[in-house]
Each structure stands twice: as C-alpha cells, then as structure tokens.
Amino acid sequence: MLNWIKQQLRIFPVWMGLVILGLFLVAELVTLNKPGSLADRVFQRMDTIVYDWRFGAFTPDRPQGPPIVIVDIDEESLKQEGRWPWSRARVADLVDALKKQGAAVIGFDVVFSEPEINPATRLLDTGRLSPSASAELSQLVEAMDADARFAGAMRERTVIGYLLHNEGTHSGKLPPPFFPLDGKEGDRLTVNRMKDFTGMLPVFASAASGAGFISTLPDGDGIIRRSPLVLRYENGLYSSLALEMARQYLKAPFIQMQTVNSGGNLRLESLTLGKSRVFTDESGLALIPYKGKSFSYPYLSATKVLRSPEAISSLKGAIVLVGTSALGLSDLRTTPLETGFPGVEVHANLIDVILQSTDAANYSYYRPDWEPGLTFTLLLISGLAFVLVLPRLEPGYMLVVSAGWLAVLTLGNLVFWKHFHYDTPLSILMLSTIVIAIFNISYGFLQANIQKREMKTLFGQYVPPAHVDQILMNSQMAGMEGESRHMTVLFSDIRSFTTISEGLKANRLKQLLNDFFTPITGVIFAHNGTIDKYVGDMVMAFWNAPLPDENHAEHAIEAAMAMQRTADELKPVFAARNLPEINIGIGVNTGFMNVGDMGSQYRRTYTVIGDAVNLGSRLEGLTKFYGVKLLVGEGTYDLAPMFLYRLVDKIIVKGKREPVCVYEPVCRVEDASDSRRSRIESYNRALDHYYSREWDDAEKILRELHQGDPDRILYKMYLERIPQLRHATLPDDWMGVFEHHSK
C-alpha cells in the first residue's frame, strides 16, 4: 500500500498538470464559442494589458502617407471669430477657404443636428413689421439662411459626422446606408448593431458629398484601442467618418466587404476601397495603430485658415479634419499611449492606415482568422510538454525552463506584432505556463522538503546530527545513489556473547545491549563515523560517507581506541548492576567500497559492500585468534602513520588468495613512552628476522619480550611457529604468510 501511495505521488504532478491544462483548454473553447462570457472577459482584460505594454514598447511605424491636417477650432479661433457655435455661414466660409487652399477632402468631427435660427424668419414671425418691411425682409430670408449657405458649401469634397448609439433617443436624419441588408442575410452578419442615432439636418443629409458616424466604442476600461469602421442600424450598414473620407479621397465608387462563413454566421474580415484594404474584427472594429502621442499630425488654427491672405502649403492636396481643442469644447480620449488624446486624431490615424494598407503592404493590425487554431494548438502542445517534462526537473531547472518558454512566447508575439502586424493573444498561453510551472515548482519544493525530512530521519540513525545538517544544506555533498569511494570500515563484536546471552533473561539482555550501544554509538559519532548497522552484538560503521572525510583512516582508529576505553569504563558500571563484563574486538580496514542506498523494494538501507568491507569483518574475527583488541589492514596502516603499530602477521583470509599484512595500533606516536617504543621496535625487529628466516635471532628477541609480558599471545604464537619452521622445508619464495581457514 505504501509503495502504491509513493508511486501515485510520483505521477501526481502529471495528473494535476493535465487537469490544469484541461481547464485552460476548456476556458479557451468557451472564449471562442461564447463571447462575453466570464472567461472571455477575463482573458480579454489580460490581453489588453499585454496589448498596451506591447504598444508602448513597439509603437507601430509606417511610411509617410497622404498629408492629413487637423484644422483646430482652438482658443485663438474663438477669440478672433467669436464663441462657439459659430454661425453655419462662418463654417461655410471655412469650407470655402479650405477648398480654395486646395484641400482634397474635408471632414467634420462635429455633429450638426440642430437648425440655426434665421434672423429674417424670426423677425417675420413676430408679426410686428409693417407690410412693406415684411415684404422687403421676405426677399432676404433665403440670403440669410445660414444652414442653406453651409449646405451649399458642402456639396463637394465635404464629409460631415453623425452619431450611432444606444442612448434611447433619435434626432435629425441619417444618410442612406452604404450597404442595405435584407432581414435573413443581415441577421447572419456579425457587425455591431446600434439602436439609436443622432443625425444631421435633412438639408445637410441631402447636400453633403458624404457622411460618416463619429461614434467610438471604448474597451471596458475606457481606453480606445479600436474603433468601428462600420456599424449596423436597422437594415443598413453605415460607414465611419474615417472610412467615408478615405473612400472620397481615393474616389472609390463603393466599399467592398470581405466576409467568412463561420458556424452559420457571416464574419466580417476586411473592407476594401479600390486598392486599399483594411482588416477588422468580426464586429467591424479596427485596431488603431496610433502613429504616436497627441499632435502627431500637423494642426492649423481655424482662424488662420479663415483669415490667411496667402496660400497655406500644408493644405494643398491634404485630407482635412475639422475638430475642436478649445477649453470646454475639446473631445479628449484615453488611448494606450496617453490620456487626454484628441478625439479628432483617432479619425486621422484611421484614415492614415486605411489609405496606406494594401494587399502588397499592410499597415493595419488585426487578428487573423487562423489565430484561434494556432493559440489552441500552442496551448495544447506546450501544455503537454510542460506537464510531462517539468515533473522530471529540479525546481531550479523548472524555473529556468518556464522563464525560457515565457521569453519565447513573448518574443514570438512581438515578432508577429512588429513584422506581420498580427495582434495575437498572449495571456492564456502565459497564464497556463505560469500556473503549471508554479504548481510543479511548489510541488517540487514540497517534495524536496519531504525528502529532506526523510533524509534527516534516515541519516540521523547513522551519522552525527551536525553531519545531517550539512547534508541538508548541501545535498550534493551526500547522495543516496550508489558510488565507489575509498573508505574505512569498522567492525566491533562483543567477546563470548553467546555465553553472556544464555545467562541473562531477554529484557536484561536487551537493556545491556542498549546501555552498551548507546555510548559506543556516541563515540563513533564523535569521531565523524557513520553507523551502518547493529547485528546482535556487532556494530558496523564506516568513514568518508555520506560526507567526505580526508582523514577517515585516522578517525576510524581513534574511534576504535575510544570504544575500547569506553568498554573498560562500562565494566564497573555493569558490575554494580550485576551485569557481566563486556570485552570487544575491533577490526578496521581501508579500501575502495561501494556505498549507497541498497536493498529491495520492501526494505532499504544505506550501507557499504565490497572486498575491503569483508576483510574488515575478517580482521575483527581474528582479534581473538591473535589475542589483541584491535586489528587494522594495510590500507589503514598506510593512511594513518601518526600511530605506533605492531605488525601482527602476514595472512591470507578464508576465500582470498592475496596475502595482507595486519597491524595492531598501539597508540599515537607522540603519546608513546620510551619503554613502549623500545618494546615495539624490538618486536618489529624480531619479525624482520623471522621473515628473513633468521630463526635464532628472532627467537631470542621474542623470548625476552615474552618474559617481560607473558600474557601476550602474540609472542607465544611466534615462539611456537619458529621450531616448526626451522625443521621444515620451505619454498624459495616463502614470505611467512599464514593462511586462515576459518572466518
């Protein structure tokens, strides 16, 4: 059951990643199929943030197009010409002046929905004039009709504005639509539909060379990022002021619509005027690629145009937009570039991009019809890749990979924007990446913490607490994976343990072992050792893993000597509790060993294996044979020259063919007394004679040592060997090796 849970935890990030990805895929489908839904609004809002950032970082650029000039009814104009509204006759004078200056097309970002009072008619209506005065004034009615004067002026090259809205009021008159719709076909068209209007005077509607709505549809946050080029009212399509002015400038006879049949609807894709083609969304809205901040187009004061006796070169062949910036009259909007942006420049930017956008060189920004498929595919493929790849990485690499993919998405989106003029969404791709990455990184850190706790629990049984903290601080210092290291191993065994266990009850035996192993373990930990295992009365420990220890052989010998002292210190303590005396034999060996987390799927342990380990175990068993408490192998002897050694024997242990020298560490060199040093030197000199077959010299020294220390088995053992070897026929390559046939 536990293994099943662990297996499920390993694949849990994948399943959760798939769930998260599935939610985003569903959200994308809802966004595509249910405009205006919560998901659609959320992602649209996020995309507008990306849009504004992208727009500010890479403002669209396009070549210089036809001249567009804004004639401004500014403060100076009001000062010179009088307060607004001016008489329609004065406005007619402005139109005439612009035509005289050579303006190609004139457009009014102003609605003329109310008639101007004719002073002659007003006087006649009072009934107070004499018949002769009335007759004379009646002849002036037509001449004093300012609306008629303005209507006459706008018959050529003049486009005036009106409003389409949903405010619940109707006023004035609308011009005829540029495209009448029948009921069934019109209902399939996805263009925005308006319910109400604020039109113009009938005389203007019939007189003007063209008319276009000046309505704008800000986004939900009030920022104008797009503007309608066409709107529907009842059974007709109407063009914007910018679109109509562009049509007249190009002398295009009509406006063509390109639509796509999708799901039973006719989705508007683009509008064509002669060779010019501008892309829109399905609602007829076009993204406004603002040329720059306010006053990106030249401005002329209206009074200057009215009063200039000389030709104004900037007006020759120009597209002129008449707007207002005077205090109290200004039409200011919020755009991605700035707040307080003149509304008349919105129309100017739209005219500019319409005239310059052709099939050969497109400068209008839009979302292509293949964008939903691309976004969904990217979402699916990148999401699956992240779901399958991230759980296999460390949290740090997850962060790098996620940040890299976000950078790729952002760069690709900017390339589409800058070079292809595609407004592709980015928010859902970035958000899905971020959410999947955050989940995997969080889960990765959670797993890392769990593994640290498991490691602390595991290693806390084997190594000193300080080492555990170091391992957790730098996990690369110690790994659970198997590896080969040059290490030192120690085996310790209680002498005559079988006899001891037979004389104690189970609970007393348990208490004895616990009371013995506790200080012994403390000694090993104090000398940087790692506990491998306890097997009955045996303790196994090793050095140089999991943390590196350059002096592992020295520390192991010091630990072994300290363990012997601890065992001696426990004897009176155990005697006072009526417990048997404890003596231990210790074997230490150094060499290459395999260390790591080993075992089966049911139980694992951090341990060492190898020939060097086996030899350490054999040495512990031989301590009783040689009558010593501690034996070390050649590898340990070579790495720890700071100790004074007694060469014990050259041996071949059971199961091996290669002979090894074994030594008894006596003490640290600096701690040895002169008499002890002399005895060790004499003993080692005796063994030199022994291996050189100089039996008499070896026997003489050994007898002297035996007389001084009759209880040492080692002296007696060699004194027994020498008579046998003296009379034996030895091979020429005899090296004095003794072969052990038992473990």
Side-chain angles (χ1 to χ4, degrees):
M1 183 64 179
L2 182 60
N3 290 325
W4 182 86
I5 293 174
K6 289 183 177 180
Q7 183 180 7
Q8 295 306 308
L9 288 176
R10 282 195 291 270
I11 63 174
F12 176 72
V14 176
W15 288 115
M16 279 302 300
L18 290 174
V19 170
I20 294 171
L21 176 60
L23 292 175
F24 275 100
L25 291 173
V26 170
E28 175 67 6
L29 291 174
V30 170
T31 299
L32 294 176
N33 294 292
K34 292 185 177 181
S37 62
L38 177 61
D40 184 47
R41 295 197 304 272
V42 169
F43 289 121
Q44 275 196 10
R45 178 61 187 134
M46 295 177 64
D47 278 329
T48 58
I49 296 173
V50 174
Y51 180 92
D52 292 347
W53 165 80
R54 186 176 56 194
F55 205 103
F58 297 93
T59 303
D61 55 351
R62 53 181 177 269
Q64 184 64 42
I68 299 175
V69 178
I70 296 171
V71 172
D72 189 14
I73 303 173
D74 55 6
E75 293 292 338
E76 181 64 24
S77 298
L78 297 185
K79 181 179 178 182
Q80 296 294 331
E81 309 301 331
R83 66 182 180 85
W84 186 266
W86 293 343
S87 170
R88 303 284 165 76
R90 195 57 175 156
V91 179
D93 292 340
L94 179 61
V95 173
D96 290 340
L98 289 169
K99 289 180 179 179
K100 184 179 179 180
Q101 293 286 354
V105 179
I106 304 165
F108 280 88
D109 184 22
V110 182
V111 178
F112 299 99
S113 59
E114 301 294 333
E116 181 177 335
I117 297 175
N118 189 324
T121 304
R122 186 172 186 178
L123 287 173
L124 289 172
D125 289 343
T126 63
R128 298 177 181 179
L129 299 177
S130 64
S132 59
S134 296
E136 186 176 349
L137 190 58
S138 297
Q139 296 177 3
L140 298 175
V141 169
E142 184 175 347
M144 297 180 71
D145 189 346
D147 286 340
R149 167 80 174 87
F150 184 35
M154 67 172 70
R155 292 188 184 279
E156 295 180 0
R157 294 179 287 164
T158 305
V159 182
I160 63 173
Y162 59 91
L163 293 171
L164 292 176
H165 52 77
N166 294 315
E167 301 298 329
T169 60
H170 292 70
S171 62
K173 182 179 180 181
L174 287 181
F178 78 88
F179 192 89
L181 299 171
D182 61 43
K184 293 182 179 179
E185 194 70 13
D187 290 340
R188 295 178 58 205
L189 197 63
T190 56
V191 174
N192 279 328
R193 184 189 298 233
M194 298 290 109
K195 299 178 181 178
D196 308 297
F197 66 89
T198 300
M200 61 197 76
L201 293 178
V203 65
F204 297 157
S206 58
S209 64
F213 60 80
I214 59 175
S215 309
T216 55
L217 299 177
D219 289 341
D221 55 3
I223 298 177
I224 296 180
R225 299 180 180 88
R226 67 203 81 220
S227 186
L229 292 184
V230 292
L231 287 173
R232 178 178 177 179
Y233 175 74
E234 292 185 345
N235 289 327
L237 289 182
Y238 293 82
S239 64
S240 67
L241 180 71
L243 186 63
E244 178 60 20
M245 290 182 70
R247 184 189 72 80
Q248 293 208 20
Y249 181 82
L250 294 171
K251 295 182 173 57
F254 46 79
I255 300 170
Q256 289 182 305
M257 295 189 301
Q258 287 74 44
T259 58
V260 176
N261 196 332
S262 174
N265 292 325
L266 289 176
R267 295 176 59 250
L268 185 61
E269 183 181 67
S270 62
L271 299 167
T272 300
L273 305 172
K275 293 183 179 180
S276 294
R277 184 186 185 190
V278 61
F279 288 90
T280 69
D281 65 11
E282 61 183 14
S283 300
L285 298 173
L287 286 170
I288 307 171
Y290 292 99
K291 187 176 182 179
K293 292 186 177 181
S294 55
F295 303 101
S296 296
Y297 295 91
Y299 276 67
L300 276 176
S301 177
T303 191
K304 180 178 181 180
V305 176
L306 284 166
R307 296 174 180 269
S308 177
E310 300 176 354
I312 302 174
S313 60
S314 61
L315 291 175
K316 183 68 174 179
I319 300 168
V320 176
L321 278 161
V322 180
T324 61
S325 68
L327 188 64
L329 301 177
S330 56
D331 174 27
L332 300 179
R333 306 300 177 96
T334 300
T335 70
L337 294 176
E338 64 177 333
T339 57
F341 188 87
V344 68
E345 281 197 60
V346 173
H347 305 297
N349 277 279
L350 284 170
I351 294 170
D352 198 3
V353 74
I354 291 171
L355 294 178
Q356 294 197 63
S357 294
T358 64
D359 288 334
N362 173 52
Y363 295 100
S364 63
Y365 288 70
Y366 68 102
R367 288 194 177 182
D369 54 3
W370 43 260
E371 174 273 317
L374 174 66
T375 301
F376 189 86
T377 302
L378 275 176
L379 182 62
L380 177 61
I381 294 176
S382 65
L384 285 175
F386 265 63
V387 166
L388 297 176
V389 171
L390 286 188
R392 302 175 182 270
L393 303 177
E394 294 293 329
Y397 288 112
M398 291 183 192
L399 187 61
V400 171
V401 170
S402 302
W405 178 241
L406 289 174
V408 169
L409 287 175
T410 303
L411 182 62
N413 190 272
L414 291 177
V415 169
F416 274 2
W417 170 264
K418 182 72 174 175
H419 296 286
F420 301 102
H421 299 167
Y422 293 150
D423 173 38
T424 52
L426 186 60
S427 62
I428 192 167
L429 295 173
M430 294 187 72
L431 188 61
S432 64
T433 300
I434 291 170
V435 171
I436 293 174
I438 288 176
F439 168 76
N440 279 280
I441 291 172
S442 301
Y443 189 80
F445 279 116
L446 177 63
Q447 286 295 98
N449 287 333
I450 293 174
Q451 290 174 0
K452 282 187 176 181
R453 286 196 295 270
E454 290 178 348
M455 187 178 293
K456 190 167 186 177
T457 301
L458 173 64
F459 282 114
Q461 303 174 30
Y462 303 116
V463 300
H467 285 192
V468 177
D469 294 335
Q470 291 183 51
I471 293 171
L472 295 179
M473 289 175 63
N474 187 358
S475 60
Q476 294 181 351
M477 294 178 62
M480 300 292 287
E481 300 297 329
E483 60 176 314
S484 178
R485 282 194 190 184
H486 197 254
M487 301 171 60
T488 299
V489 67
L490 176 150
F491 287 87
S492 172
D493 195 57
I494 297 176
R495 298 280 174 81
S496 304
F497 181 71
T498 302
T499 303
I500 293 173
S501 61
E502 289 175 350
L504 293 175
K505 293 183 178 180
N507 60 339
R508 294 271 287 169
L509 179 62
K510 172 187 172 184
Q511 189 62 46
L512 180 142
L513 289 176
N514 289 343
D515 292 345
F516 173 74
F517 283 143
T518 298
I520 290 297
T521 301
V523 169
I524 294 172
F525 282 177
H527 291 84
N528 299 328
T530 299
I531 298 295
D532 186 298
K533 62 175 69 71
Y534 305 96
V535 180
D537 62 320
M538 187 271 290
V539 179
M540 176 181 173
F542 51 82
W543 279 257
N544 201 28
L547 291 179
D549 182 358
E550 294 181 358
N551 302 316
H552 51 90
E554 177 186 358
H555 292 157
I557 295 176
E558 287 181 337
M561 291 179 172
M563 290 167 66
Q564 292 289 358
R565 291 194 298 271
T566 300
D568 291 340
E569 292 169 358
L570 288 174
K571 289 177 182 178
V573 176
F574 284 2
R577 294 164 56 187
N578 200 26
L579 291 172
E581 183 179 277
I582 296 291
N583 293 290
I584 57 175
I586 301 174
V588 177
N589 191 45
T590 300
F592 282 97
M593 309 171 191
N594 293 319
V595 60
D597 183 34
M598 304 177 192
S600 68
Q601 61 176 331
Y602 301 104
R603 188 177 186 276
R604 304 181 69 83
T605 184
Y606 188 71
T607 188
V608 290
I609 58 174
D611 288 341
V613 178
N614 297 334
L615 179 57
S617 177
R618 300 289 191 276
L619 294 179
E620 182 277 319
L622 292 175
T623 56
K624 190 174 184 179
F625 177 84
Y626 290 105
V628 296
K629 295 181 178 181
L630 172 61
L631 280 178
V632 302
E634 288 178 347
T636 309
Y637 170 83
D638 292 337
L639 286 182
M642 66 287 300
F643 292 96
L644 183 65
Y645 294 94
R646 180 183 287 114
L647 174 61
V648 174
D649 203 355
K650 292 181 181 179
I651 63 172
I652 295 177
V653 298
K654 183 179 180 180
K656 298 295 180 183
R657 295 183 179 181
E658 296 296 326
V660 294
C661 293
V662 294
Y663 302 84
E664 178 192 10
V666 178
C667 63
R668 295 188 74 91
V669 172
E670 63 269 20
D671 296 334
S673 64
D674 292 339
S675 60
R676 173 174 282 185
R677 194 189 303 270
S678 176
R679 288 196 303 273
I680 298 299
E681 289 175 355
S682 297
Y683 169 78
N684 287 335
R685 190 167 57 254
L687 258 63
D688 289 340
H689 291 306
Y690 174 81
Y691 290 121
S692 299
R693 308 185 194 186
E694 298 169 353
W695 311 118
D696 293 340
D697 293 336
E699 188 176 37
K700 180 181 178 181
I701 297 173
L702 287 169
R703 287 191 183 280
E704 292 176 356
L705 292 171
H706 182 60
Q707 289 175 1
D709 187 5
D711 294 331
R712 185 167 293 279
I713 296 176
L714 202 56
Y715 300 153
K716 183 179 180 181
M717 180 190 73
Y718 278 105
L719 288 172
E720 291 175 352
R721 284 186 188 179
I722 289 174
Q724 299 175 10
L725 294 172
R726 180 184 281 124
H727 301 291
T729 302
L730 301 176
D732 294 338
D733 59 352
W734 181 83
M735 299 175 62
V737 176
F738 183 82
E739 185 172 356
H740 287 272
H741 297 285
S742 60
K743 294 184 179 180

